[in-house]
Amino acid sequence: MSNKIIAWGFSGAAARAIALFRMGEVSIERGEKPNIIIGTSSGALAAPIIAVAYQHPEIMAKAIHFAETLDTKDMFPYKGNVPFNKKGNPSLMGVLRAVTHNHLGWQDIKPLYKKLFTQEYFESFKKSDIKCIAFGVNGEDWTPVQYVLNDAVSLDDMIDVIECSSRIVPFVQPMTYKGATYADGGFISFNPSMWLFDNYDLKQLVSFNSHELHLGINKNPKWDKNILSVTYQAMDGMSSMLAYKDSIIEELYCKLHCVDYIRIDAPDGYTDEVYETDDNQLIALGLASMEVAQNAWNKTKGIA
């Protein structure tokens, strides 16, 4: 009996998590199922939800509704004063924190995540046959770290590990966990699937990307409006470059190891920025991602 496994890789990209949920929804409906899901940032956040959705399909509907109605405070839930004013420029307190703490604010996603992922879901997740891995970066020596979310001793512990993968420095402080500090895994790998090859014997890799992989990004009319928009657009460009690089390495690894490779890219053109929170744009991105996923799976099955 073969021990080869099916792995899914989830990219990051903040508000574009709606694409991951919609592509995951299509895949589940088609009866596709992985043995492992690895994700970074919002991909790590989405992984346990999609794993649990096989036993609790209602969580997917809740996650999609949540992802379609995100606002900036959902993605950057700061404790205390918000780091930016209404025009998107750094607030006075944000500047003071940057000077004294090397970051603009403190992040804690626990209250928000627990509204969606309850203790009941966590108990089901612990029994799941789908292993979920959060990919982060050790900020002290800049080495990649993989944490198995199923091994978390509590729901709070699981969320802490997710935060190890999703702290976007310097917007928020690095995550401190078991004596070490961590930053967003996207700083090294936007989609960390390639890191699975060191430890697992794959027969299929399905790479879910939250936007279409190519060099270059859409023109952003908000580019010169304020510091926040400029920063967001720069990060969007960085994530596009890293995603493109990762996709080349993924495909090369799969060819070298004779692994079946499927890449599903959410379409560009629906959001202006990686942190866009316009509900209509997010809904449109999700629906378009469903169609892309359906077409990708049909292609693999030889369905016209």
Side-chain angles (χ1 to χ4, degrees), residues 17-292:
I18 180 59
L20 300 177
F21 285 128
R22 283 297 194 182
M23 291 187 289
E25 179 186 37
V26 168
S27 304
I28 292 172
E29 289 176 351
R30 292 183 62 96
E32 306 293 341
K33 188 177 181 179
N35 304 108
I36 289 178
I37 300 175
I38 186 171
T40 190
S41 196
S42 58
L45 183 148
I49 295 171
I50 290 177
V52 166
Y54 286 89
Q55 283 74 42
H56 300 275
E58 74 280 359
I59 195 175
M60 185 65 78
K62 294 177 183 178
I64 289 171
H65 175 71
F66 172 78
E68 288 176 340
T69 55
L70 279 173
D71 60 35
T72 305
K73 288 183 179 180
D74 291 328
M75 289 183 286
F76 299 103
Y78 297 92
K79 293 180 178 178
N81 295 321
V82 295
F84 300 103
N85 59 32
K86 291 183 179 180
K87 293 184 178 180
N89 292 308
S91 66
L92 176 60
M93 288 304 298
V95 171
L96 290 175
R97 276 194 293 272
V99 171
T100 59
H101 298 286
N102 296 320
H103 59 80
L104 295 173
W106 287 269
Q107 184 181 34
D108 181 11
I109 68 170
K110 279 192 178 76
L112 202 63
Y113 199 76
K114 285 182 176 180
K115 290 181 179 179
L116 179 62
F117 202 90
T118 63
Q119 183 65 31
E120 176 189 4
Y121 292 138
F122 177 71
E123 296 298 332
S124 179
F125 177 61
K126 289 283 288 181
K127 300 174 184 176
S128 174
D129 57 356
I130 301 175
K131 180 187 291 187
C132 293
I133 300 172
F135 181 88
V137 178
N138 187 311
E140 296 175 6
D141 57 16
W142 215 244
T143 55
V145 177
Q146 298 180 45
Y147 277 115
V148 178
L149 297 174
N150 312 66
D151 293 341
V153 297
S154 66
L155 178 56
D156 283 350
D157 186 48
M158 187 193 81
I159 299 172
D160 282 342
V161 174
I162 291 173
E163 291 225 44
C164 288
S165 174
S166 58
R167 287 286 176 92
I168 305 175
V169 180
F171 287 116
V172 297
Q173 87 286 13
M175 178 63 187
T176 301
Y177 183 72
K178 294 185 176 180
T181 56
Y182 299 90
D184 193 294
F187 287 118
I188 287 182
S189 285
F190 190 72
N191 188 328
S193 304
M194 70 185 77
W195 298 93
L196 292 174
F197 284 88
D198 289 338
N199 300 311
Y200 300 97
D201 189 8
L202 306 186
K203 70 176 179 181
Q204 184 184 70
L205 173 61
V206 186
S207 183
F208 296 84
N209 295 282
S210 55
H211 57 72
E212 189 175 3
L213 299 184
H214 55 81
L215 288 175
I217 53 178
N218 291 332
K219 182 178 179 180
N220 182 4
K222 301 177 183 179
W223 168 255
D224 61 352
K225 296 295 188 272
N226 56 54
I227 293 173
L228 185 58
S229 288
V230 170
T231 303
Y232 283 175
Q233 181 70 353
M235 294 181 72
D236 201 5
M238 180 190 74
S239 66
S240 292
M241 180 191 70
L242 288 174
Y244 182 78
K245 176 264 296 180
D246 289 347
S247 69
I248 294 174
I249 297 175
E250 282 177 351
E251 190 166 8
L252 178 60
Y253 274 23
C254 286
K255 288 180 178 178
L256 289 174
H257 294 275
C258 298
V259 174
D260 181 28
Y261 180 58
I262 301 170
R263 194 173 76 220
I264 305 177
D265 301 344
D268 271 341
Y270 289 90
T271 59
D272 297 328
E273 299 171 345
V274 69
Y275 299 105
E276 180 62 67
T277 56
D278 179 271
D279 290 358
N280 291 329
Q281 291 185 23
L282 293 175
I283 292 170
L285 173 61
L287 295 176
S289 299
M290 289 179 65
E291 184 176 351
V292 167

